[in-house]
Amino acid sequence: MGLSQAGAEDFIPPDPVDDLASEAQSESSVRLTWLAPFDATDDPLDGNYAIHYATYTDLTFNFGDAQVTFSTSSVIFDVYQERTVGSLAANTTHFFYLFTSDLAPNWSALSNGATAVTLAQKPSNIAVAQVHASSLT
Protein backbone atom coordinates (compact mmCIF):
# COMPACT_ATOMS: atom_id res chain seq x y z
CA MET A 1 0.00 0.00 0.00
CA GLY A 2 1.00 3.62 0.04
CA LEU A 3 1.42 6.53 2.34
CA SER A 4 -1.24 8.99 3.40
CA GLN A 5 -0.72 12.71 3.03
CA ALA A 6 0.56 12.78 6.62
CA GLY A 7 3.27 10.25 5.67
CA ALA A 8 1.86 7.32 7.67
CA GLU A 9 1.09 4.00 5.99
CA ASP A 10 -2.45 3.96 4.63
CA PHE A 11 -4.32 0.68 4.35
CA ILE A 12 -7.86 2.07 4.65
CA PRO A 13 -9.83 2.71 1.44
CA PRO A 14 -12.38 5.50 1.09
CA ASP A 15 -15.97 4.64 1.94
CA PRO A 16 -17.99 3.43 -1.06
CA VAL A 17 -20.30 5.96 -2.67
CA ASP A 18 -23.86 5.15 -1.60
CA ASP A 19 -25.85 7.86 -3.43
CA LEU A 20 -24.83 7.43 -7.08
CA ALA A 21 -27.65 8.69 -9.32
CA SER A 22 -28.02 8.88 -13.10
CA GLU A 23 -30.00 10.85 -15.65
CA ALA A 24 -30.05 10.48 -19.44
CA GLN A 25 -28.82 13.65 -21.15
CA SER A 26 -29.09 12.63 -24.80
CA GLU A 27 -29.19 9.59 -27.06
CA SER A 28 -25.52 8.96 -26.26
CA SER A 29 -24.82 10.39 -22.79
CA VAL A 30 -25.78 9.98 -19.13
CA ARG A 31 -24.96 12.35 -16.26
CA LEU A 32 -23.90 10.73 -12.98
CA THR A 33 -24.06 12.58 -9.64
CA TRP A 34 -22.92 11.71 -6.09
CA LEU A 35 -21.40 13.15 -2.93
CA ALA A 36 -17.68 12.65 -2.39
CA PRO A 37 -17.10 9.77 0.04
CA PHE A 38 -15.31 9.91 3.38
CA ASP A 39 -11.72 8.70 3.67
CA ALA A 40 -10.25 8.33 7.16
CA THR A 41 -6.68 9.14 6.11
CA ASP A 42 -6.91 11.51 3.13
CA ASP A 43 -8.94 14.72 2.96
CA PRO A 44 -8.89 15.81 0.21
CA LEU A 45 -8.91 12.41 -1.49
CA ASP A 46 -6.25 13.08 -4.16
CA GLY A 47 -6.78 9.70 -5.81
CA ASN A 48 -9.10 8.61 -8.61
CA TYR A 49 -12.69 7.83 -9.46
CA ALA A 50 -13.36 4.86 -11.73
CA ILE A 51 -16.71 4.31 -13.48
CA HIS A 52 -17.53 0.83 -14.74
CA TYR A 53 -20.68 0.52 -16.84
CA ALA A 54 -22.42 -2.03 -19.02
CA THR A 55 -25.71 -2.73 -20.79
CA TYR A 56 -26.20 -5.93 -18.80
CA THR A 57 -25.64 -6.95 -15.19
CA ASP A 58 -24.31 -10.48 -15.62
CA LEU A 59 -20.70 -9.53 -14.92
CA THR A 60 -18.45 -8.59 -12.02
CA PHE A 61 -18.12 -4.84 -11.79
CA ASN A 62 -14.62 -3.78 -10.69
CA PHE A 63 -12.31 -0.76 -10.89
CA GLY A 64 -9.79 -2.62 -13.05
CA ASP A 65 -12.30 -2.83 -15.91
CA ALA A 66 -13.59 0.73 -15.58
CA GLN A 67 -14.04 2.58 -18.87
CA VAL A 68 -13.77 6.05 -17.29
CA THR A 69 -11.10 7.04 -14.75
CA PHE A 70 -10.41 10.57 -13.55
CA SER A 71 -8.66 12.40 -10.73
CA THR A 72 -10.10 13.20 -7.30
CA SER A 73 -7.46 15.89 -6.79
CA SER A 74 -8.65 18.33 -4.11
CA VAL A 75 -12.01 16.52 -3.72
CA ILE A 76 -13.37 17.12 -0.22
CA PHE A 77 -15.74 14.82 1.67
CA ASP A 78 -19.48 15.33 1.11
CA VAL A 79 -19.08 17.77 -1.80
CA TYR A 80 -21.33 17.35 -4.86
CA GLN A 81 -19.64 15.53 -7.79
CA GLU A 82 -20.80 14.87 -11.33
CA ARG A 83 -19.53 13.33 -14.52
CA THR A 84 -21.14 12.88 -17.93
CA VAL A 85 -20.41 9.56 -19.63
CA GLY A 86 -20.67 9.74 -23.42
CA SER A 87 -20.41 7.52 -26.49
CA LEU A 88 -23.22 5.28 -25.23
CA ALA A 89 -25.70 3.33 -27.37
CA ALA A 90 -29.03 5.09 -27.98
CA ASN A 91 -32.32 3.90 -26.48
CA THR A 92 -30.43 1.41 -24.28
CA THR A 93 -30.40 0.65 -20.57
CA HIS A 94 -26.99 1.29 -18.99
CA PHE A 95 -25.88 0.16 -15.51
CA PHE A 96 -23.25 2.28 -13.73
CA TYR A 97 -21.03 1.69 -10.69
CA LEU A 98 -18.37 3.92 -9.16
CA PHE A 99 -15.16 3.20 -7.25
CA THR A 100 -12.98 5.70 -5.40
CA SER A 101 -9.29 5.51 -4.56
CA ASP A 102 -7.19 7.56 -2.20
CA LEU A 103 -3.57 8.62 -2.56
CA ALA A 104 -2.16 5.20 -1.53
CA PRO A 105 -4.06 3.96 -3.74
CA ASN A 106 -6.65 1.98 -1.79
CA TRP A 107 -9.84 1.33 -3.78
CA SER A 108 -13.29 1.52 -2.22
CA ALA A 109 -15.89 -1.19 -2.43
CA LEU A 110 -18.49 -1.04 -5.19
CA SER A 111 -20.90 1.90 -5.02
CA ASN A 112 -24.64 1.53 -5.22
CA GLY A 113 -25.78 1.00 -8.79
CA ALA A 114 -27.38 3.65 -10.98
CA THR A 115 -29.41 2.83 -14.07
CA ALA A 116 -30.40 5.07 -16.97
CA VAL A 117 -31.92 4.59 -20.41
CA THR A 118 -30.36 6.79 -23.08
CA LEU A 119 -32.80 8.71 -25.24
CA ALA A 120 -33.94 7.32 -28.59
CA GLN A 121 -32.28 8.66 -31.72
CA LYS A 122 -34.14 11.48 -33.40
CA PRO A 123 -35.73 10.44 -36.68
CA SER A 124 -34.06 11.88 -39.76
CA ASN A 125 -34.92 12.18 -43.45
CA ILE A 126 -38.63 12.47 -42.76
CA ALA A 127 -40.71 13.61 -45.73
CA VAL A 128 -44.43 14.00 -46.30
CA ALA A 129 -45.49 11.61 -49.04
CA GLN A 130 -49.08 12.77 -49.60
CA VAL A 131 -51.60 15.17 -48.15
CA HIS A 132 -55.32 14.49 -48.46
CA ALA A 133 -58.16 16.86 -47.81
CA SER A 134 -60.99 15.45 -45.76
CA SER A 135 -63.96 16.78 -43.89
CA LEU A 136 -65.82 15.75 -40.83
CA THR A 137 -69.60 16.02 -40.57
Side-chain angles (χ1 to χ4, degrees), residues 116-133:
V117 178
T118 48
L119 304 178
Q121 288 183 326
K122 297 172 189 152
S124 61
N125 298 326
I126 297 176
V128 177
Q130 293 182 355
V131 176
H132 298 280

Side-chain angles (χ1 to χ4, degrees), residues 10-59:
D10 179 4
F11 298 100
I12 303 169
D15 289 345
V17 168
D18 62 4
D19 61 348
L20 184 64
S22 59
E23 179 183 13
Q25 296 293 294
S26 71
E27 62 273 2
S28 63
S29 66
V30 169
R31 183 172 59 103
L32 302 174
T33 59
W34 66 94
L35 293 176
F38 175 74
D39 185 69
T41 53
D42 293 304
D43 188 20
L45 283 170
D46 289 334
N48 288 291
Y49 285 124
I51 300 170
H52 190 183
Y53 62 90
T55 56
Y56 53 94
T57 58
D58 188 24
L59 77 155

Side-chain angles (χ1 to χ4, degrees), residues 16-17 20 32 34 49-52 70 96-100 108-112:
V17 168
L20 184 64
L32 302 174
W34 66 94
Y49 285 124
I51 300 170
H52 190 183
F70 54 101
F96 297 90
Y97 291 90
L98 179 72
F99 298 88
T100 308
S108 70
L110 185 68
S111 72
N112 66 294

Side-chain angles (χ1 to χ4, degrees), residues 31-88:
R31 183 172 59 103
L32 302 174
T33 59
W34 66 94
L35 293 176
F38 175 74
D39 185 69
T41 53
D42 293 304
D43 188 20
L45 283 170
D46 289 334
N48 288 291
Y49 285 124
I51 300 170
H52 190 183
Y53 62 90
T55 56
Y56 53 94
T57 58
D58 188 24
L59 77 155
T60 301
F61 287 90
N62 64 76
F63 66 85
D65 291 329
Q67 297 94 328
V68 179
T69 304
F70 54 101
S71 174
T72 61
S73 178
S74 301
V75 170
I76 297 170
F77 167 63
D78 217 26
V79 173
Y80 176 84
Q81 307 287 296
E82 73 174 65
R83 184 70 172 208
T84 298
V85 177
S87 300
L88 303 173

